[in-house]
Amino acid sequence: MHQLSLTRMRFVPFGFIRRLIPSVIWSFDTPDRVFLTFDDGPTPEVTEWVLGQLAAYDAKATFFCLGKNAELHPHLHRMIVEAGHKVGNHTYSHQKGWEQGLERYVEDVDFANQILRSDLLRPPYGRITPAQVKALGERYNIIMWDVLSRDYSRYVSPQSCVRNTTRYIRPGSIIVFHDSNKAFRNLRYALPRVLDYISRAGLKCSAIDL
Ligand SMILES: [Zn+2]
């Protein structure tokens, strides 16, 4: 992550579209909102369950889909959009930016975008080189996070997944969960509790729509 420290910016005003100086967004400057994000889907059953939870809390979120999964499950892609959430690009095949040449990486992102049609990009593993930021940042808002639930880790208990999240949430936070099979053990425990925490804190969950 060190490569990103130079482009790290906090307190980005929400609604500010960065086009002139490509860089990376870690959180927003909003007094009353937080931004839930779900990576690696859409995944049958898991994504549907997430959509149900969000609906129960009148929460909107951003789903950083893999192009290959959206291609496999077009009905889930459609359900996300029709429920009023935002779809973001998480590459076609979960590319690691640091291990991938510029041209191949850009190609994979753009290929995914033929399906996903989004102006938001989240690099898998948060790994993207400055050259890749430069090449893609003119066309995509590159969205990282400031709160990582670690729901995907088998070393993290459902309870600590809740703590990892609620301890660091503040207005403007971008929070990462995963609508994947691997994360579901933790997610199904943590998500309703985190939604409850956010709502008790008087914050609203919005989709990232710049
Ligand atoms: Zn991912």
Side-chain angles (χ1 to χ4, degrees):
M1 301 281 272
H2 293 298
Q3 293 188 41
L4 284 169
S5 57
L6 288 177
T7 53
R8 183 169 182 133
M9 289 185 72
R10 288 200 154 264
F11 308 121
V12 176
F14 190 66
F16 180 80
I17 302 169
R18 48 192 57 256
R19 285 283 182 270
L20 296 177
I21 310 164
S23 72
V24 168
I25 297 171
W26 295 86
S27 62
F28 292 105
D29 184 12
T30 57
D32 56 350
R33 282 188 274 178
V34 293
F35 303 89
L36 290 175
T37 64
F38 297 88
D39 290 5
D40 295 358
T43 308
E45 290 179 40
V46 182
T47 303
E48 283 134 319
W49 179 85
V50 169
L51 290 172
Q53 291 297 309
L54 295 174
Y57 282 85
D58 194 23
K60 295 290 183 253
T62 306
F63 289 77
F64 287 94
C65 297
L66 290 175
K68 63 174 183 183
N69 285 351
E71 191 172 57
L72 267 176
H73 310 293
H75 68 291
L76 294 178
H77 181 201
R78 212 165 33 243
M79 273 176 80
I80 294 170
V81 175
E82 283 171 2
H85 304 291
K86 175 91 178 180
V87 167
N89 187 329
H90 196 47
T91 76
Y92 184 81
S93 50
H94 216 251
Q95 294 286 322
K96 279 185 183 153
W98 294 357
E99 292 170 13
Q100 198 57 268
L102 178 61
E103 204 173 315
R104 281 275 308 272
Y105 191 76
V106 170
E107 207 175 85
D108 197 78
V109 170
D110 286 341
F111 185 56
N113 225 43
Q114 290 175 19
I115 301 158
L116 300 170
R117 303 196 177 282
S118 178
D119 59 349
L120 305 179
L121 170 65
R122 169 165 291 155
Y125 314 99
R127 290 178 186 170
I128 187 166
T129 66
Q132 289 161 350
V133 169
K134 192 162 181 282
L136 291 162
E138 288 169 10
R139 291 182 289 121
Y140 299 93
N141 291 291
I142 300 171
I143 310 292
M144 297 298 199
W145 59 83
D146 63 333
V147 180
L148 189 60
S149 66
R150 300 200 183 280
D151 55 351
Y152 51 82
S153 171
R154 62 193 174 99
Y155 301 109
V156 168
S157 72
Q159 289 80 3
S160 43
C161 186
V162 175
R163 278 195 302 273
N164 288 343
T165 312
T166 55
R167 184 181 295 171
Y168 298 108
I169 287 177
R170 57 166 186 76
S173 280
I174 302 172
I175 304 149
V176 183
F177 285 105
H178 293 77
D179 52 335
S180 67
N181 286 319
K182 196 162 75 167
F184 200 29
R185 174 183 68 97
N186 281 334
L187 183 69
R188 69 190 315 160
Y189 179 87
L191 184 59
R193 287 162 178 83
V194 170
L195 282 164
D196 196 52
Y197 173 87
I198 291 169
S199 140
R200 281 168 196 268
L203 296 165
K204 196 170 163 46
C205 294
S206 295
I208 300 170
D209 201 358
L210 295 167

